[in-house]
Amino acid sequence: MTALLEVKDLRVAYGKIEAVKGISFTVNQGEVTTLIGTNGAGKTTTLRTLSGLLKPTGGTVTFDGQPLGTVPAHKIVSLGLAHSPEGRHIFPRMTIEENLLLGAFLRKDTAGIAEDVERAYTLFPILGERRKQAAGTLSGGEQQMLAMGRALMSRPKLLMLDEPSMGLSPLMMQKIMATIVELKAAGTTILLVEQNAQAALSLSDQGYVMETGRIVLTGTGRDLLGNDSVRKAYLGED
Amino acid sequence: MHELPQQLANGLILGALYGLVAIGYTMVYGIVQLINFAHGEIFMVGGFGALTAFLALPGGTSLWIAIPLMLLAGILVSTLVAVGAERFAYRPLRGAPRLAPLITAIGLSIVLQQLVFSFYPDAKKARVFPKIPGDPFELAGITIQRSDIFLIIAAPLCMMILGWFVAKTRSGRAMQATSQDPDTAKLMGIDTDRIIVMAFAIGAAFAAVAAVAYGLRTGQVDSRMGILLGLKAFTAAVLGGIGNIYGAMLGGLALGLTEGLATGYIQHVPGMDLFGGAAWKDVWAFVLLIVVLLVRPQGLLGERVADRA
Ligand SMILES: Nc1ncnc2c1ncn2[C@@H]1O[C@H](COP(=O)(O)OP(=O)(O)O)[C@@H](O)[C@H]1O
Ligand SMILES: [Mg+2]
């Protein structure tokens, strides 16, 4: 099992307040790895740091054998790391198709891009039906599909999804989770951040539990699902 | 003096001038939510750049050759100054409280006016700018100065090029993405610093075109020409909905028309004779702004800005 992403003792602070307090984890090639944790644990901060949007105050990140230390945010995607941010952040006044094409902003292979746009429409047919519509007019679930489709447009080695099920109806959530399973089956490596621990862990190879900036528990998805403290804290059982 | 078609034509021509300068305010604001209050001076130095080129040419050079060269020099000077201001004055302040770049802009305006004095010690007085010679055109009862032909051609041409650039080119789409969500634009691989520089540069180039138009129209440039015009253009940008390029031009035209009509007509309204005439035209521009913002706070073509973090 080769580690595609290796995070060692990562620290991130907002001003004087440390939000991520020295975490280490790995993401293996071809696997789904999940970070779970309550609101404010530092999951989004971690992903934004991996993408270069925040600068770490300590630790190292190695992606695909290369240290990410000082790589600026706009160069990260070209290394093969794509990020579907929390809250979707689609470009509301651009069309669905323009959003997808922005996901392929740095690619030059016109034919390949067109192919991938079609692939996104196959994965999410509703996007294809509305391709010329402003993305801001989509429902929350559809916007989530667009954000995922857009992230896939760079043909990433690692896809990072930050709370893709946030605010979605149960039906829409199932659809998103099924898509993650589908992507995994196609060989995509995924780093998933979720509050919906049940759904996330049951499709994960590896899981990490974060609490107030630290990783407090590690195990396979199955292990964590069976873990008493996880069941208590995240699955609402006692 | 108060024939309607003539007043409308005058207003539109003046408005196109405001609109060209307003583009600079609106583009920079659209990308970085910064009001570049030094933009009036960016416009002014463009005028002096063009003047420098004119003075360097041998006397009697045909205007067919001189105007393009003046335009080039003006665009060069304005763009360099704007890009330099972005790099050394504004960029270090990104993330600082809003007041910091505002004060910087005021300081920058003073520096730029002073800089012009060091090249042209008499710049406070009007420096003679060439005019396009010849009788005015008469068209369906409307008189149009020859010098205004430049603006009548340049303004729509500039808007068409900009509209095409923003909608159709890769850089233009990157610009739209950056303006809608800068962090996510970075995730797409867009170098947003480059886009910001581009916004400043385009705005400056438009201001330089406007400065040449202004010089040709009035036959002069001076170191203070950017103050009131900058303020009017900023008003136009807000009126049209700041951040929207078509709004900037529309706001400019609306402002120009208001001035033209107010100058021509208000003095003929019974009891309003005191408020008519040229002296009051600047006041009417701001009255229009206040009225529009009361009814439509986001401006004519503006989007709601509430969701901006
Ligand atoms: N922009 C910010 N400025 C200051 N503090 C922040 C900012 N974003 C997040 N935080 C703080 O950092 C901590 C981790 O937040 P976050 O990474 O968003 O957690 P999670 O994604 O796990 O819910 C929280 O305490 C939060 O209040
Ligand atoms: Mg989060």
Side-chain angles (χ1 to χ4, degrees):
Chain A
M1 208 53 77
T2 48
L4 180 57
L5 177 77
E6 200 155 9
V7 175
K8 278 208 180 107
D9 200 29
L10 184 72
R11 290 171 184 277
V12 192
Y14 295 101
K16 285 199 170 67
I17 299 163
E18 199 164 56
V20 172
K21 302 166 181 168
I23 62 168
S24 301
F25 65 94
T26 53
V27 175
N28 289 325
Q29 186 81 50
E31 292 190 349
V32 175
T33 304
T34 298
L35 290 180
I36 60 167
T38 46
N39 223 341
K43 307 177 300 292
T44 297
T45 304
T46 302
L47 292 200
R48 287 174 67 81
T49 308
L50 296 178
S51 286
L53 292 174
L54 296 170
K55 295 284 158 251
T57 47
T60 58
V61 177
T62 313
F63 177 69
D64 202 20
Q66 185 183 343
L68 292 189
T70 54
V71 181
H74 69 270
K75 296 239 167 88
I76 293 281
V77 68
S78 61
L79 302 176
L81 190 53
H83 184 168
S84 168
E86 179 181 292
R88 310 181 280 264
H89 285 267
I90 45 100
F91 298 105
R93 295 190 289 285
M94 297 176 93
T95 67
I96 285 148
E97 189 142 311
E98 286 170 333
N99 267 270
L100 289 174
L101 291 172
L102 278 165
F105 185 72
L106 294 179
R107 287 174 58 184
K108 301 275 186 274
D109 55 322
T110 323
I113 294 171
E115 213 172 90
D116 286 358
V117 169
E118 287 313 317
R119 207 171 47 127
Y121 292 156
T122 313
L123 199 56
F124 304 114
I126 187 81
L127 298 183
E129 287 164 29
R130 309 202 172 159
R131 59 183 78 189
K132 297 293 175 204
Q133 206 169 308
T137 63
L138 294 177
S139 75
E142 292 159 359
Q143 290 190 9
Q144 186 57 57
M145 293 172 185
L146 180 56
M148 284 173 74
R150 185 182 61 182
L152 285 168
M153 286 300 296
S154 63
R155 290 199 177 167
K157 293 177 189 145
L158 172 60
L159 175 64
M160 301 197 291
L161 302 172
D162 196 344
E163 300 216 22
S165 74
M166 187 168 68
L168 301 191
S169 67
L171 194 70
M172 201 48 106
M173 188 165 76
Q174 265 178 22
K175 163 75 184 148
I176 296 289
M177 290 300 166
T179 307
I180 294 173
V181 172
E182 208 174 314
L183 291 173
K184 184 197 167 179
T188 315
T189 310
I190 296 172
L191 175 55
L192 176 63
V193 161
E194 260 302 328
Q195 296 220 30
N196 183 345
Q198 174 76 52
L201 289 175
S202 53
L203 56 77
S204 298
D205 298 286
Q206 192 70 28
Y208 294 86
V209 180
M210 273 188 93
E211 254 168 43
T212 56
R214 294 198 168 83
I215 287 176
V216 293
L217 211 57
T218 310
T220 63
R222 189 184 308 243
D223 285 349
L224 292 178
L225 269 179
N227 181 292
D228 281 345
S229 57
V230 171
R231 300 190 76 83
K232 269 190 193 145
Y234 301 104
L235 305 178
E237 296 180 10
D238 43 26
Chain B
M1 177 58 206
H2 58 280
E3 296 161 67
L4 185 61
Q6 184 67 52
Q7 299 294 0
L8 290 177
N10 292 352
L12 284 176
I13 290 169
L14 188 63
L17 189 68
Y18 295 155
L20 282 180
V21 181
I23 291 288
Y25 287 100
T26 230
M27 290 205 60
V28 167
Y29 185 87
I31 304 284
V32 277
Q33 285 78 57
L34 165 92
I35 292 167
N36 176 16
F37 273 115
H39 188 60
E41 270 58 49
I42 303 278
F43 160 80
M44 182 271 293
V45 296
F48 277 89
L51 177 72
T52 308
F54 175 67
L55 296 177
L57 290 169
T61 305
S62 151
L63 282 182
W64 287 105
I65 297 165
I67 290 179
L69 290 175
M70 290 161 65
L71 201 54
L72 216 60
I75 290 173
L76 194 71
V77 171
S78 283
T79 308
L80 282 178
V81 168
V83 169
E86 191 282 323
R87 182 68 192 81
F88 298 109
Y90 292 131
R91 195 180 299 184
L93 294 175
R94 251 185 248 156
R98 289 287 165 93
L99 211 51
L102 185 67
I103 291 171
T104 303
I106 294 168
L108 198 60
S109 298
I110 297 170
V111 169
L112 288 175
Q113 291 191 32
Q114 213 51 45
L115 211 63
V116 166
F117 288 135
S118 61
F119 290 102
Y120 293 94
D122 56 349
K124 237 179 216 166
K125 288 178 290 174
R127 291 291 312 233
V128 173
F129 208 81
K131 288 193 114 172
I132 300 177
D135 291 334
F137 292 103
E138 296 284 343
L139 202 82
I142 302 172
T143 308
I144 292 171
Q145 299 301 322
R146 270 180 196 260
S147 288
D148 283 337
I149 296 297
F150 174 82
L151 186 61
I152 291 169
I153 295 169
L157 196 64
C158 283
M159 287 309 291
M160 270 158 55
I161 293 171
L162 183 61
W164 167 82
F165 173 81
V166 170
K168 300 286 182 217
T169 67
R170 202 173 106 92
S171 293
R173 279 192 296 271
M175 195 165 254
Q176 288 182 56
T178 305
S179 115
Q180 292 177 30
D181 195 328
D183 272 354
T184 308
K186 287 182 196 159
L187 295 180
M188 305 294 110
I190 295 167
D191 183 352
T192 51
D193 277 343
R194 225 190 92 236
I195 299 297
I196 293 169
V197 170
M198 208 182 274
F200 271 89
I202 293 172
F206 273 55
V209 173
V212 170
Y214 176 96
L216 291 171
R217 184 180 160 76
T218 59
Q220 63 181 62
V221 291
D222 72 89
S223 66
R224 309 173 74 84
M225 73 192 217
I227 300 172
L228 186 61
L229 204 126
L231 202 59
K232 292 270 191 67
F234 171 63
T235 307
V238 174
L239 192 62
I242 193 146
N244 184 311
I245 53 172
Y246 299 105
M249 185 45 83
L250 187 67
L253 295 176
L255 204 61
L257 280 176
T258 306
E259 279 188 25
L261 295 179
T263 312
Y265 291 101
I266 286 200
Q267 58 196 329
H268 302 288
V269 178
M272 292 289 280
D273 51 335
L274 192 63
F275 306 111
W280 277 82
K281 72 177 199 304
D282 298 338
V283 175
W284 296 118
F286 293 102
V287 169
L288 173 70
L289 176 71
I290 291 165
V291 169
V292 168
L293 292 188
L294 281 176
V295 183
R296 233 184 117 74
Q298 71 273 44
L300 296 173
L301 300 185
E303 316 258 351
R304 75 282 161 275
V305 288
D307 60 359
R308 275 242 124 87

Short mmCIF file of all heavy atoms in Angstrom, two decimals, chain A residues 14 19 38-45 86, ligand 1:
data_model
loop_
_atom_site.label_atom_id
_atom_site.label_comp_id
_atom_site.label_asym_id
_atom_site.label_seq_id
_atom_site.Cartn_x
_atom_site.Cartn_y
_atom_site.Cartn_z
N TYR A 14 -4.86 30.30 13.26
CA TYR A 14 -5.47 31.56 12.82
C TYR A 14 -4.99 32.61 13.80
O TYR A 14 -5.44 32.63 14.95
CB TYR A 14 -6.99 31.48 12.86
CG TYR A 14 -7.57 30.48 11.89
CD1 TYR A 14 -8.00 29.23 12.32
CD2 TYR A 14 -7.71 30.80 10.54
CE1 TYR A 14 -8.55 28.32 11.44
CE2 TYR A 14 -8.25 29.89 9.65
CZ TYR A 14 -8.67 28.65 10.11
OH TYR A 14 -9.21 27.76 9.23
N ALA A 19 -5.57 25.98 15.38
CA ALA A 19 -6.77 25.20 15.06
C ALA A 19 -6.42 23.75 14.78
O ALA A 19 -7.21 22.84 15.00
CB ALA A 19 -7.50 25.81 13.86
N THR A 38 -16.42 16.47 15.26
CA THR A 38 -17.49 17.44 15.45
C THR A 38 -17.12 18.77 14.82
O THR A 38 -15.98 18.98 14.42
CB THR A 38 -17.75 17.68 16.95
OG1 THR A 38 -16.49 17.87 17.57
CG2 THR A 38 -18.48 16.53 17.58
N ASN A 39 -18.10 19.64 14.77
CA ASN A 39 -17.91 20.98 14.24
C ASN A 39 -16.77 21.68 14.97
O ASN A 39 -16.71 21.64 16.19
CB ASN A 39 -19.21 21.77 14.47
CG ASN A 39 -19.55 22.58 13.26
OD1 ASN A 39 -18.68 22.83 12.41
ND2 ASN A 39 -20.80 22.99 13.16
N GLY A 40 -15.87 22.29 14.21
CA GLY A 40 -14.78 23.04 14.84
C GLY A 40 -13.57 22.20 15.19
O GLY A 40 -12.63 22.70 15.81
N ALA A 41 -13.57 20.93 14.79
CA ALA A 41 -12.45 20.05 15.14
C ALA A 41 -11.18 20.41 14.38
O ALA A 41 -10.08 20.10 14.81
CB ALA A 41 -12.83 18.60 14.87
N GLY A 42 -11.34 21.03 13.21
CA GLY A 42 -10.16 21.42 12.42
C GLY A 42 -10.07 20.68 11.09
O GLY A 42 -9.03 20.74 10.42
N LYS A 43 -11.14 20.05 10.68
CA LYS A 43 -11.11 19.27 9.44
C LYS A 43 -10.97 20.17 8.21
O LYS A 43 -10.12 19.95 7.35
CB LYS A 43 -12.39 18.42 9.32
CG LYS A 43 -12.67 17.55 10.54
CD LYS A 43 -13.96 16.78 10.43
CE LYS A 43 -15.22 17.62 10.27
NZ LYS A 43 -15.58 18.43 11.46
N THR A 44 -11.83 21.21 8.14
CA THR A 44 -11.76 22.13 7.00
C THR A 44 -10.42 22.84 6.97
O THR A 44 -9.82 23.00 5.91
CB THR A 44 -12.92 23.14 7.08
OG1 THR A 44 -14.15 22.42 6.99
CG2 THR A 44 -12.85 24.17 5.97
N THR A 45 -9.95 23.25 8.14
CA THR A 45 -8.65 23.91 8.22
C THR A 45 -7.57 23.00 7.63
O THR A 45 -6.70 23.46 6.88
CB THR A 45 -8.33 24.26 9.68
OG1 THR A 45 -9.40 25.06 10.20
CG2 THR A 45 -7.02 25.01 9.80
N GLU A 86 -15.91 22.89 1.43
CA GLU A 86 -17.12 22.90 2.26
C GLU A 86 -18.03 24.03 1.81
O GLU A 86 -17.57 25.14 1.53
CB GLU A 86 -16.71 23.12 3.72
CG GLU A 86 -17.88 23.17 4.67
CD GLU A 86 -17.44 23.43 6.11
OE1 GLU A 86 -16.79 22.55 6.69
OE2 GLU A 86 -17.74 24.51 6.63
N1 LIG C 1 -11.19 32.00 9.29
C1 LIG C 1 -11.06 31.65 10.59
N2 LIG C 1 -10.56 32.53 11.49
C2 LIG C 1 -10.41 32.19 12.78
N3 LIG C 1 -10.71 30.99 13.28
C3 LIG C 1 -11.20 30.07 12.43
C4 LIG C 1 -11.41 30.36 11.05
N4 LIG C 1 -11.91 29.24 10.45
C5 LIG C 1 -12.02 28.32 11.42
N5 LIG C 1 -11.61 28.80 12.61
C6 LIG C 1 -11.56 28.07 13.87
O1 LIG C 1 -10.71 26.96 13.71
C7 LIG C 1 -11.27 25.82 14.34
C8 LIG C 1 -11.40 24.70 13.33
O2 LIG C 1 -12.38 25.05 12.36
P1 LIG C 1 -12.69 24.17 11.09
O3 LIG C 1 -11.40 23.74 10.50
O4 LIG C 1 -13.61 24.93 10.23
O5 LIG C 1 -13.41 22.92 11.75
P2 LIG C 1 -14.29 21.78 11.09
O6 LIG C 1 -14.14 21.86 9.62
O7 LIG C 1 -13.75 20.53 11.68
O8 LIG C 1 -15.70 22.03 11.52
C9 LIG C 1 -12.57 26.24 14.95
O9 LIG C 1 -12.36 26.52 16.31
C10 LIG C 1 -12.92 27.52 14.21
O10 LIG C 1 -13.64 28.40 15.04
#
